[in-house]
């Protein structure tokens, strides 16, 4: 059934050339129900391709990987060699552990406290120097095995690690940051340049979203009247969530483009927040 799927975003720069794949870095972002990938031309430091899929048909690792291969095949890339490949796991199964408290032998226990990890998932950790902690997360082993079988030198990372590092390394010393998916969002509070709070919340309605955002802010002593809230992910300025949150938060804005990488003309047609994680992973 995945053969009938069409991307909701498919942008390729006029400079894109499948024969130049060896100078392209590729980032792949996978979640159940979603798949995105981007290509960076390292010769020009320009993002030359962006493609995104969203569908309930992307229900398991086989569906996700077949969709990726078909998308690459349509552009003559499926059997090409890339300069590097990074696989980004995008799910809720992650938790932060302060460095002094972290014990690698207890990784499963950290996640079991808050989640029921699906069968067939493996658990690993990443050290986040920018936040002085470890990010412990679970990923689909079947999907990762398929990625490594195709690109043996592929690296892997969790989307929350990319999000946290990007926020902690930016110039803003204080703020609330939300990375929005279809039915959940990561939330980070930064104070005096340090990580004060990070969590993930599931939501169904705009009221759910606003409640979790504002409650977490209140519990951490942050006011919407003097602290900005910055959005990334699958959300636009003209949305019910933004309208509702705007009643309680004075300064709402979206992640901007620091121009560390050049943007292709095609990528300029897509809201930057949509591919913020892919962009940051390729920097």
């Amino acid at each position: 059934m995945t053969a009938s799927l069409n991307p909701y975003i498919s942008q390729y720069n006029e400079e894109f050339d499948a024969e130049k794949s060896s100078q392209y870095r590729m980032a792949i972002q996978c979640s159940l129900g979603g798949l995105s990938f981007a290509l960076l031309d390292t010769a020009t430091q320009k993002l030359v391709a962006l493609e995104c899929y969203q569908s309930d048909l992307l229900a398991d690792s086989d569906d996700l990987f077949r969709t990726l291969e078909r998308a690459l095949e349509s552009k003559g890339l499926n059997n090409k060699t890339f300069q590097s490949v990074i696989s980004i796991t995008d799910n809720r199964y992650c938790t932060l552990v302060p460095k002094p408290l972290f014990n690698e032998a207890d990784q499963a226990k950290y996640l079991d406290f808050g989640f029921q990890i699906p069968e067939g998932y493996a658990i690993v950790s990443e050290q986040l120097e920018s936040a002085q902690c470890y990010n412990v997360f679970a990923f689909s082993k079947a999907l990762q095995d398929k990625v490594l079988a195709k690109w043996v030198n592929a690296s892997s990372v969790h989307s929350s690690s990319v999000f946290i590092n990007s926020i902690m390394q930016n110039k803003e010393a204080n703020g609330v940051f939300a990375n929005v998916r279809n039915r959940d969002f990561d939330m980070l509070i930064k104070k005096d340049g340090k990580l004060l709070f990070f969590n993930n919340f599931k939501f169904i309605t705009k009221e759910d979203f606003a409640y979790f955002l504002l409650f977490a802010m209140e519990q951490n002593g942050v006011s919407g009247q003097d602290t900005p809230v910055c959005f990334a992910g699958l959300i636009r300025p003209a949305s019910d969530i933004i309208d509702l949150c705007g009643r309680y938060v004075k300064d709402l804005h979206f992640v901007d483009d620091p121009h560390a990488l050049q943007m292709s003309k095609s990528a300029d047609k897509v809201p930057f927040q949509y591919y913020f994680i892919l962009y940051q992973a390729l920097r």
Side-chain angles (χ1 to χ4, degrees):
M1 295 182 71
T2 53
S4 63
L5 287 180
N6 293 314
Y8 68 90
I9 294 173
S10 183
Q11 301 290 344
Y12 289 81
N13 188 288
E14 61 279 358
E15 299 171 15
F16 166 78
D17 183 351
E19 298 306 313
K20 295 181 179 179
S21 64
S22 61
Q23 68 187 43
Y24 292 167
R25 294 174 58 203
M26 178 166 65
I28 310 163
Q29 187 173 355
C30 292
S31 63
L32 290 185
L35 167 70
S36 303
F37 67 90
L39 298 174
L40 171 72
D41 186 339
T42 57
T44 62
Q45 284 296 295
K46 183 177 290 187
L47 208 63
V48 295
L50 175 67
E51 195 149 295
C52 307
Y53 295 79
Q54 194 77 36
S55 173
D56 291 338
L57 297 178
L58 299 174
D60 58 32
S61 60
D62 288 339
D63 292 335
L64 283 164
F65 201 72
R66 279 197 298 267
T67 297
L68 174 63
E69 288 196 309
R70 287 166 181 160
L72 295 174
E73 182 66 36
S74 70
K75 297 296 182 180
L77 291 167
N78 192 37
N79 295 311
K80 296 293 187 180
T81 299
F82 297 95
Q83 187 177 108
S84 67
V85 176
I86 182 167
S87 174
I88 306 169
T89 296
D90 195 5
N91 61 30
R92 302 184 64 239
Y93 307 129
C94 67
T95 190
L96 301 186
V97 181
K99 287 178 66 174
L101 303 179
F102 177 76
N103 186 335
E104 187 174 357
D106 293 330
Q107 288 181 153
K109 294 179 182 178
Y110 298 139
L111 284 185
D112 285 343
F113 181 77
F115 303 102
Q116 184 174 353
I117 305 302
E119 185 177 351
Y121 275 53
I123 297 174
V124 295
S125 60
E126 300 170 318
Q127 185 173 347
L128 305 182
E129 288 290 352
S130 64
Q132 294 298 298
C133 66
Y134 284 83
N135 189 8
V136 182
F137 69 93
F139 63 93
S140 168
K141 191 174 185 305
L143 180 58
Q144 187 66 7
D145 286 347
K146 293 177 188 297
V147 171
L148 289 174
K150 194 172 187 70
W151 301 290
V152 294
N153 294 321
S155 59
S156 62
V157 67
H158 196 273
S159 61
S160 61
S161 295
V162 179
F163 178 60
I164 292 168
N165 279 330
S166 67
I167 299 304
M168 296 307 298
Q169 292 168 2
N170 75 15
K171 62 183 180 181
E172 296 181 73
N174 299 287
V176 177
F177 304 84
N179 183 41
V180 185
R181 303 180 187 86
N182 280 331
R183 286 290 176 260
D184 69 276
F185 69 99
D186 294 330
M187 177 179 172
L188 183 155
I189 300 178
K190 185 178 180 182
K191 186 173 183 179
D192 297 329
K194 296 181 179 181
L195 177 66
L196 178 64
F197 172 86
F198 177 82
N199 206 347
N200 175 278
F201 300 98
K202 293 182 68 175
F203 71 96
I204 297 176
T205 67
K206 63 180 184 295
E207 288 82 9
D208 295 338
F209 189 104
Y211 171 79
F212 290 127
L213 179 76
L214 296 170
F215 181 75
M217 291 173 64
E218 180 183 2
Q219 290 297 301
N220 286 278
V222 175
S223 169
Q225 296 305 304
D226 54 27
T227 304
V229 176
C230 180
F231 288 89
L234 298 178
I235 188 167
R236 287 179 176 268
S239 71
D240 292 340
I241 287 175
I242 296 298
D243 287 344
L244 180 57
C245 293
R247 301 177 190 177
Y248 306 96
V249 178
K250 187 175 181 180
D251 180 4
L252 291 179
H253 61 278
F254 288 75
V255 288
D256 60 6
D257 178 4
H259 295 290
L261 303 176
Q262 294 183 50
M263 311 310 297
S264 67
K265 292 180 180 178
S266 57
D268 283 342
K269 301 174 184 177
V270 182
F272 177 66
Q273 66 269 17
Y274 276 25
Y275 58 95
F276 176 72
I277 296 297
L278 288 167
Y279 176 92
Q280 293 296 330
L282 287 169
R283 289 182 62 185

